[in-house]
Amino acid sequence: MKPVQIEDLLSYRFLSAVEISPDGRRAAFVVKQADAEKNEYRSDIYLADLGSRATARLTGGGKDGPYAWGSDGSELFFLSKREEEEGKSFLYRIRIDGGEAERFAVLPHAADGLRRLDDGRFLYTARVPLTGESEREDAKEYEVLDEIPFWMNGEGFTNQRRKHLLLFDPAAEASKDLLEPHLEVTSFDVRGDRCAVVGRRFEGVAPVVRELWTIDLSDGAANRLPIGELQLDEVRFLDDGTLVATGTDMDPYGLGQNREVLSIDVASGGVASLTPGWDRSVGNSIAADCRHGGGPTLRVDGESVYVSVTERTVGHLVRISRDGAVRTVVESSGSIDAYDVRDGVVLTIGLRPGALQELYVHDAEGETTLTSLNEASLSDRAIASHERFAVPSARGDGIDAWLIRPADFDEGTKLPTILTIHGGPRGAYGEIFFHQMQMLAGKGYAILISNPHGSSGRGNRFADIREEYGKIDYEDLMAVVDAALDRFPFLDRDRLGVMGGSYGGFMTNWMIGHTDRFRAAVSQRSIANWIHKFCTTDIGYYFNADQLGTDPWAEGGSDRLWWHSPLRYADRAKTPTLFVHSEQDYRCWLPEGIQMFTALKYHGVETRLVMFREENHELSRSGKPKHRIRRLEEVVAWFDRFLKGVPSDGSSG
């Protein structure tokens, strides 16, 4: 058996967007795989026959998806990039029982979400300019900014451009907006001729709270429901008069507060919680680098509401009845990355310990694997296992931690060890397959991971570190290092490294200014300066204020933000640090990495910054294949140099 290699990433298949057909006979899902030669990802639609349980590829264009089922399940409609024209989308149709895909229509926008109505019309979302600025002949030569956020990670500049919900009529070959121009749509659902929409409406500054609208698709009449001040995520029809949504009033834990499942009366807008008092992390927050796409967190099947949740270190699927009774229907040993349910049949896509994504069916016989798309990728690879241990914390509740040691480890040797910190902070590590960790373990490193305070899966109180960034989380992580060194004598305390991305990048930056115990660090898509991040990123103006409890202009606000900023302590740093950042990361903008890099360089610390063009915050998860490979090469070369003494030639190695 061979250890996991960097290039293995190119062979992995990423599954997402599973949806059962209206007749319940089949399910479709999207499969992506890296195309190294073109430096992009192939995207095709696959089918699973739920009777025979056979699976096969349906489309072969390599540029297909998102999709929508036809009303009787005999055909599939999908957006494809087989043809490309700026500002337009090409809609294709394919018969399930045979035949080639054919172009069905051209949508007059760059569409993403897609839903087919029973009458043959389509709903889709697309970003639409509100002014004629983008139509000017010289529009591409400049950007005009007059609102915040003026850009969004993964979407570029969005100033005066809103994601709208549009109705396309193939017979008329025309689309029309369904809501007022300044409403940014974030979720929608359809039942018969009624549509429900969650969105945020703004002119100048985007709010945190969301609005809820209903639309009569027969005449276009729209009605805003008086739901109050709520942060809503997804919405679904439970019946003609009732909606369900995941959301929170943000009291008392702020933006990150765990979502409840809310029941909303369509006629009155009255809101009641189906899950009062529950304290569960809705959705999948288990960190991984082997996903590319996902699926809805909230679904409805008959009289039941289904929600995927993260329970400590694994994903579960729960069913909620009208009376609020909650029952777990899928207890996964890993993550639930996407799922669907129809007439009680449950399908999930997920990662498992030692295994990449596959499609699973859950019934009275338990869990059955429907696909083996990733079986060959790991068939001859030695997978390093997770050894779990608990660490006491200052608050009295234990910290979950794991050691991942090389599969061929010789206990007579000392291992260089890398502490890896997840993002979020409301993320979590589990025991699922993580390519970067497996690759580093294959190169002779022990990997130390944990879920310190701030992590999801253990309730609001555990996750609440507002105004404590760099305090309780730092104490937890250092306690994990100490506990691991005491527990595992083969770890080399003189060859410790640390790395992380996003919030994990913030903590990496923080650590190098507060301890000299690490001989090397890798900081990715990081945060260096909370004042700078407040004023430049797509979420900073509300995220920073919520998490740190202030803004730069409040009394003592700038002092507090600066106190929590790793840049403040950069003059203390001695740890050689590699910074990895993306040019178009508008969540943790490039200057965050540049500031730390410059500060370390100025103070004589060995440092290096690698910036990837045309990439954003998702570089490590869905960046271009060659960029993902180069990033990992940079990481390995840096740790090899400072933890193993491998000479550097000045390149990535």
Side-chain angles (χ1 to χ4, degrees):
M1 302 287 280
K2 301 177 182 178
V4 173
Q5 302 296 309
I6 291 177
E7 309 78 41
D8 290 347
L9 186 66
L10 302 176
S11 70
Y12 299 164
R13 291 182 170 89
F14 309 108
L15 285 62
S16 64
V18 61
E19 188 170 327
I20 301 174
S21 62
D23 59 7
R25 295 174 54 198
R26 304 177 179 92
F29 56 100
V30 174
V31 177
K32 296 179 181 179
Q33 184 177 8
D35 184 331
E37 183 177 345
K38 295 182 179 179
N39 200 26
E40 61 185 23
Y41 294 89
R42 289 188 54 87
S43 178
D44 293 303
I45 301 171
Y46 280 60
L47 281 182
D49 188 303
L50 300 183
S52 67
R53 301 198 170 181
T55 59
R57 189 176 67 182
L58 177 66
T59 71
K63 298 184 177 183
D64 303 333
Y67 67 87
W69 281 101
S71 57
D72 62 359
S74 65
E75 57 187 359
L76 204 77
F77 298 84
F78 60 92
L79 299 174
S80 181
K81 293 184 178 180
R82 301 179 188 195
E83 305 171 78
E84 294 190 63
E85 184 176 342
E86 186 174 356
K88 295 184 179 181
S89 297
F90 292 86
L91 183 62
Y92 279 69
R93 175 174 60 185
I94 188 169
R95 298 285 302 178
I96 300 302
D97 294 328
E100 295 294 323
E102 58 182 6
R103 187 211 282 187
F104 179 75
V106 179
L107 306 182
H109 302 90
D112 43 33
L114 183 69
R115 182 77 175 265
R116 185 178 185 273
L117 306 179
D118 290 340
D119 62 10
R121 295 182 296 172
F122 291 83
L123 286 173
Y124 65 92
T125 53
R127 194 161 291 282
V128 177
L130 303 186
T131 70
E133 193 73 50
S134 62
E135 298 174 2
R136 291 177 52 135
E137 186 175 337
D138 59 349
K140 291 184 178 181
E141 298 179 16
Y142 56 83
E143 290 287 343
V144 176
L145 310 180
D146 58 8
E147 62 184 20
I148 55 175
F150 48 82
W151 55 19
M152 292 180 67
N153 184 64
E155 296 199 50
F157 283 91
T158 57
N159 195 85
Q160 293 295 332
R161 302 175 180 93
R162 300 288 186 270
K163 184 161 286 190
H164 283 186
L165 181 65
L166 300 111
L167 181 64
F168 176 72
D169 185 347
E173 297 184 345
S175 294
K176 67 175 181 178
D177 272 321
L178 293 178
L179 288 163
E180 59 182 86
H182 286 279
L183 188 77
E184 169 111 342
V185 173
T186 57
S187 175
F188 71 92
D189 191 34
V190 180
R191 184 181 176 95
D193 60 1
R194 301 285 295 280
C195 181
V197 181
V198 172
R200 59 178 183 175
R201 178 163 46 102
F202 67 98
E203 297 181 54
V205 180
V208 171
V209 297
R210 298 290 188 267
E211 298 177 3
L212 181 60
W213 291 72
T214 57
I215 306 170
D216 188 327
L217 296 175
S218 63
D219 60 13
N223 178 51
R224 181 183 173 186
L225 277 61
I227 60 172
E229 299 284 300
L230 296 173
Q231 168 65 276
L232 296 181
D233 297 323
E234 298 180 37
V235 65
R236 298 287 181 269
F237 278 97
L238 182 57
D239 56 39
D240 290 339
T242 309
L243 297 169
V244 289
T246 49
T248 173
D249 61 5
M250 298 172 284
D251 182 22
Y253 290 101
L255 287 175
Q257 182 163 301
N258 282 336
R259 275 44 176 164
E260 297 182 38
V261 180
L262 307 174
S263 173
I264 303 167
D265 183 76
V266 172
S268 68
V271 180
S273 177
L274 287 177
T275 56
W278 87 337
D279 192 8
R280 310 175 85 165
S281 298
V282 170
N284 175 37
S285 52
I286 304 172
D289 58 357
C290 293
R291 304 186 183 105
H292 200 321
T297 292
L298 175 71
R299 291 190 183 270
V300 169
D301 183 43
E303 295 286 299
S304 298
V305 180
Y306 289 79
V307 184
S308 59
V309 298
T310 299
E311 297 282 3
R312 200 151 185 163
T313 64
V314 295
H316 290 339
L317 184 65
V318 300
R319 183 173 65 207
I320 305 166
S321 62
R322 284 180 176 271
D323 61 6
V326 179
R327 178 187 171 192
T328 300
V329 293
V330 175
E331 292 190 19
S332 169
S333 61
S335 64
I336 295 180
D337 303 336
Y339 78 94
D340 195 16
V341 56
R342 183 179 290 273
D343 298 330
V345 176
V346 178
L347 299 179
T348 66
I349 291 170
L351 290 155
R352 298 289 186 268
L356 291 160
Q357 285 181 322
E358 300 292 356
L359 177 66
Y360 302 89
V361 61
H362 307 264
D363 52 25
E365 299 178 4
E367 178 182 277
T368 304
T369 309
L370 291 182
T371 59
S372 56
L373 291 169
N374 279 305
E375 192 175 86
S377 294
L378 301 180
S379 61
D380 64 347
R381 292 295 186 251
I383 307 300
S385 60
H386 292 60
E387 183 170 346
R388 188 169 181 168
F389 61 103
V391 179
S393 76
R395 285 186 180 176
D397 39 10
I399 304 301
D400 294 325
W402 296 262
L403 183 75
I404 306 171
R405 66 179 81 181
D408 58 353
F409 168 60
D410 179 356
E411 297 215 16
T413 62
K414 287 278 192 177
L415 289 176
T417 303
I418 302 171
L419 173 68
T420 302
I421 309 168
H422 66 63
R426 283 194 176 227
Y429 280 135
E431 299 180 12
I432 59 176
F433 185 91
F434 204 118
H435 175 72
Q436 175 180 278
M437 296 177 191
Q438 291 292 331
M439 178 274 298
L440 286 170
K443 293 189 177 298
Y445 292 96
I447 310 301
L448 187 58
I449 61 174
S450 64
N451 291 332
H453 282 92
S455 303
S456 67
R458 295 184 62 180
N460 281 311
R461 183 179 179 276
F462 188 90
D464 185 22
I465 60 169
R466 290 172 301 166
E467 302 182 40
E468 291 195 72
Y469 280 56
K471 297 179 180 180
I472 182 65
D473 44 5
Y474 174 69
E475 294 171 8
D476 284 351
L477 289 163
M478 295 309 295
V480 167
V481 172
D482 290 336
L485 292 174
D486 289 342
R487 183 184 182 94
F488 306 104
F490 51 83
L491 301 183
D492 192 338
R493 65 180 61 244
D494 295 323
R495 292 192 293 161
L496 298 177
V498 60
M499 70 182 300
S502 196
Y503 164 78
F506 158 78
M507 280 308 307
T508 300
N509 291 347
W510 184 268
M511 284 184 157
I512 64 174
H514 286 78
T515 180
D516 297 333
R517 294 180 64 181
F518 299 100
R519 284 180 53 181
V522 176
S523 175
Q524 304 173 90
R525 57 189 186 279
S526 66
I527 299 165
N529 183 340
W530 288 108
I531 298 173
H532 176 272
K533 178 175 167 57
F534 189 105
C535 297
T536 59
T537 64
D538 61 351
I539 65 171
Y541 68 95
Y542 62 85
F543 179 85
N544 294 21
D546 177 77
Q547 292 296 293
L548 298 177
T550 191
D551 64 53
W553 305 276
E555 184 176 355
S558 60
D559 289 340
R560 186 189 304 174
L561 292 171
W562 183 237
W563 188 93
H564 287 280
S565 297
L567 188 63
R568 182 179 189 266
Y569 311 96
D571 61 330
R572 306 177 187 178
K574 296 181 177 62
T575 307
T577 303
L578 169 68
F579 295 95
V580 178
H581 228 104
S582 297
E583 185 180 38
Q584 297 173 7
D585 185 344
Y586 304 138
R587 185 64 38 84
C588 296
W589 194 28
L590 173 62
E592 296 297 309
I594 289 176
Q595 289 175 89
M596 285 297 294
F597 167 77
T598 300
L600 265 59
K601 204 70 166 174
Y602 179 78
H603 290 288
V605 179
E606 189 103 34
T607 185
R608 174 182 175 94
L609 187 147
V610 182
M611 182 201 74
F612 289 88
R613 298 192 185 281
E614 299 182 354
E615 295 290 359
N616 57 48
H617 200 66
E618 306 305 312
L619 167 64
S620 66
R621 298 176 283 254
S622 58
K624 292 181 174 64
K626 290 181 180 179
H627 293 173
R628 295 178 72 180
I629 296 296
R630 175 63 184 266
R631 182 189 73 88
L632 291 173
E633 289 173 344
E634 290 282 350
V635 170
V636 170
W638 193 259
F639 283 130
D640 279 356
R641 178 182 173 189
F642 292 101
L643 300 187
K644 292 183 177 180
V646 177
S648 170
D649 62 2
S651 69
S652 66

